[in-house]
Amino acid sequence: MPLLIVGLNVLGVLGYDRLRRWRRGIIFGQFVFAAIVTPQDPFSMLALAATLTVLSEGAIQVSRIGDRRKARRAARRAAELPDTAASSVPSPEPIAPAGEVSPRE
């Protein structure tokens, strides 16, 4: 699960904001998974759930760092571009004064 979280973040599918909102559900799901997978021993369930929770929290924090790096890199790229290159919108045609017809090609 933690590797899947990091992989989806690197691909841009899951962002840190979404993971932060889903954190409680992820932890709950891990405890349910641990209860189903382990035998009827509560110690084993808690050990597995705690391990998954720590690893998932680490993956979420790695996603946070990755998102900050992406944002910093995008801001740096935008700052390096001249103002004319940052826009893909073509320059508008000048407006002719009232009564005159502008030549069209």
Side-chain angles (χ1 to χ4, degrees):
M1 179 85 160
L3 189 59
L4 181 67
I5 290 173
V6 172
L8 290 175
N9 180 262
V10 168
L11 292 174
V13 176
L14 278 178
Y16 171 69
D17 293 331
R18 183 174 289 172
L19 290 171
R20 188 183 68 212
R21 284 180 285 161
W22 290 356
R23 182 178 282 143
R24 288 182 184 171
I26 291 171
I27 292 172
F28 178 75
Q30 290 169 347
F31 271 84
V32 169
F33 175 76
I36 293 171
V37 171
T38 59
Q40 297 298 324
D41 179 22
F43 179 74
S44 300
M45 183 196 85
L46 287 176
L48 179 62
T51 304
L52 286 173
T53 302
V54 168
L55 290 173
S56 292
E57 187 61 35
I60 291 172
Q61 296 308 315
V62 167
S63 298
R64 178 179 60 92
I65 293 169
D67 283 355
R68 283 197 314 190
R69 284 184 181 171
K70 286 179 192 175
R72 222 179 295 138
R73 196 175 303 137
R76 195 176 316 126
R77 282 188 197 139
E80 291 173 355
L81 290 175
D83 288 339
T84 56
S87 175
S88 62
V89 179
S91 299
E93 295 180 14
I95 298 175
E100 293 183 23
V101 178
S102 63
R104 293 255 168 174
E105 296 180 303

